[in-house]
Amino acid sequence: MRIRFTKMHGAGNDFVVLDETRGLLNLGPEQYRFLADRHFGVGADQILSVRPSTGPGVDFEYVIHNADGGEVEQCGNGARCFFRYVREHGLTDRDRLRVHTAAGVIAPAMEADGRVTVDMGPPVFTPAAVPFDAAGLAPVGATEVGPWHLALDDEAGGPIVELAVLSMGNPHAVQRVDDVDAAPVAEQGPRIEHHPRFPNRVNAGFLQVLDRRRVKLRVHERGAGETLACGTGACAAVVAGIRQGWLDSPVDVHTRGGLLTIAWDGPGQPVRMTGPAQTVFEGEIDLPDRFPGIPA
């Protein structure tokens, strides 16, 4: 089967975007893994599907699959690319949209400088809703995000990390580090992602505070590994920093792929993320019947 696609990125977090407004492609996990593969396919952190509105009050449906083929609830950088895609492809001429995701409705909008702002909704702090199994644990802080001490090994004396835990429609665990460039992202990221305390796995953020309005961030994303930027990870990191008294809104988040600006007015209020969204190229690709070399 041959399909058309658009390659896009938001601050280096890259995507393959598929137009399913005229009919579903009915792809499976193997096809998504093939498209995301950087040797056999197009190459991407996530695959974004643009689908028709699911009902009154929303303009489109937005479906996200990670590079491992699994569907996930939310992707902030992808949301900005989604918005630019539907505008550039004539699917809408509106400056503001309401888009249904597996995590609820988000509201992207075009800014005067060409960047896109997305109302990501309010953060969720209840451990069971993240989800995070906090049974038998006591937070080491007095905020909604904890933080919590989490042992990465069963053995006594193993590494213990201090994590702020919350959801931005998808689960996040954020730790503060002194030097993000030297942070053990490759070593700790997968262990945090697959920790049994997170039944749906988790995105692991590593946050360095530069001052009260500037941070540096790296994120190991579940199902994708470390990416050049993670929009929901930036939102989660800023919320965690504000609740622990380190940051004041708005905050510039410096990722390895570019700059995101995150604003949050406090509990019960939505998080607003502003950043770039760019088209890289468009093309067609044949999906082979079998996918040799693509890991499951």
Side-chain angles (χ1 to χ4, degrees):
M1 178 172 64
R2 174 170 292 190
I3 63 171
R4 292 193 58 80
F5 67 87
T6 299
K7 179 72 179 284
M8 304 187 74
H9 81 88
N13 191 186
D14 62 338
F15 310 100
V16 169
V17 186
L18 305 177
D19 184 353
E20 296 188 86
T21 57
R22 297 172 180 84
L24 299 184
L25 295 172
N26 295 312
L27 304 185
E30 282 193 350
Q31 285 94 344
Y32 291 120
R33 287 199 299 271
F34 172 80
L35 288 169
D37 190 89
R38 299 186 186 278
H39 301 286
F40 293 94
V42 181
D45 295 320
Q46 282 90 21
I47 312 300
L48 313 181
S49 297
V50 182
R51 296 181 181 176
S53 170
T54 55
V58 295
D59 300 289
F60 295 95
E61 182 182 18
Y62 164 41
V63 179
I64 309 123
H65 287 84
N66 272 343
D68 66 358
E71 185 176 348
V72 292
E73 307 93 338
Q74 189 59 277
C75 176
N77 289 324
R80 299 196 313 276
C81 290
F82 181 103
F83 178 81
R84 185 168 294 280
Y85 178 92
V86 297
R87 293 256 306 181
E88 288 183 348
H89 286 76
L91 300 176
T92 185
D93 59 1
R94 298 179 59 186
D95 290 332
R96 296 180 180 273
L97 297 174
R98 287 175 56 80
V99 179
H100 181 266
T101 74
V105 175
I106 58 172
M110 181 69 73
E111 299 294 337
D113 62 3
R115 296 194 299 169
V116 178
T117 293
V118 184
D119 179 336
M120 298 295 294
V124 174
F125 301 116
T126 306
V130 172
F132 171 58
D133 178 9
L137 298 179
V140 295
T143 74
E144 304 96 321
V145 296
W148 308 80
H149 279 169
L150 203 64
L152 297 186
D153 291 331
D154 293 333
E155 297 84 2
I160 295 176
V161 292
E162 186 172 293
L163 300 173
V165 176
L166 67 155
S167 172
M168 283 304 312
N170 55 356
H172 289 270
V174 183
Q175 62 176 295
R176 184 173 179 175
V177 297
D178 293 330
D179 180 358
V180 75
D181 294 319
V185 178
E187 189 270 326
Q188 289 189 4
R191 298 165 76 184
I192 296 170
E193 175 192 357
H194 294 280
H195 197 283
R197 292 278 183 178
F198 297 98
N200 292 346
R201 297 183 294 164
V202 72
N203 301 288
F206 297 77
L207 170 70
Q208 178 184 350
V209 176
L210 301 176
D211 57 43
R212 297 194 66 84
R213 293 190 185 273
R214 295 185 306 127
V215 302
K216 295 175 71 175
L217 180 70
R218 293 170 65 187
V219 179
H220 171 94
E221 293 196 48
R222 59 175 179 166
E226 184 178 3
T227 57
L228 291 179
C230 176
T232 56
C235 295
V238 168
V239 169
I242 290 174
R243 292 312 294 157
Q244 292 177 94
W246 308 331
L247 302 174
D248 298 314
S249 178
V251 177
D252 283 341
V253 180
H254 297 268
T255 74
R256 290 188 163 185
L259 176 68
L260 303 174
T261 301
I262 310 299
W264 184 54
D265 296 331
Q269 299 301 308
V271 181
R272 302 180 304 282
M273 172 189 59
T274 302
Q278 296 181 328
T279 295
V280 183
F281 62 87
E282 298 189 348
E284 296 183 352
I285 190 169
D286 291 317
L287 297 180
D289 295 330
R290 301 169 65 182
F291 308 97
I294 308 296

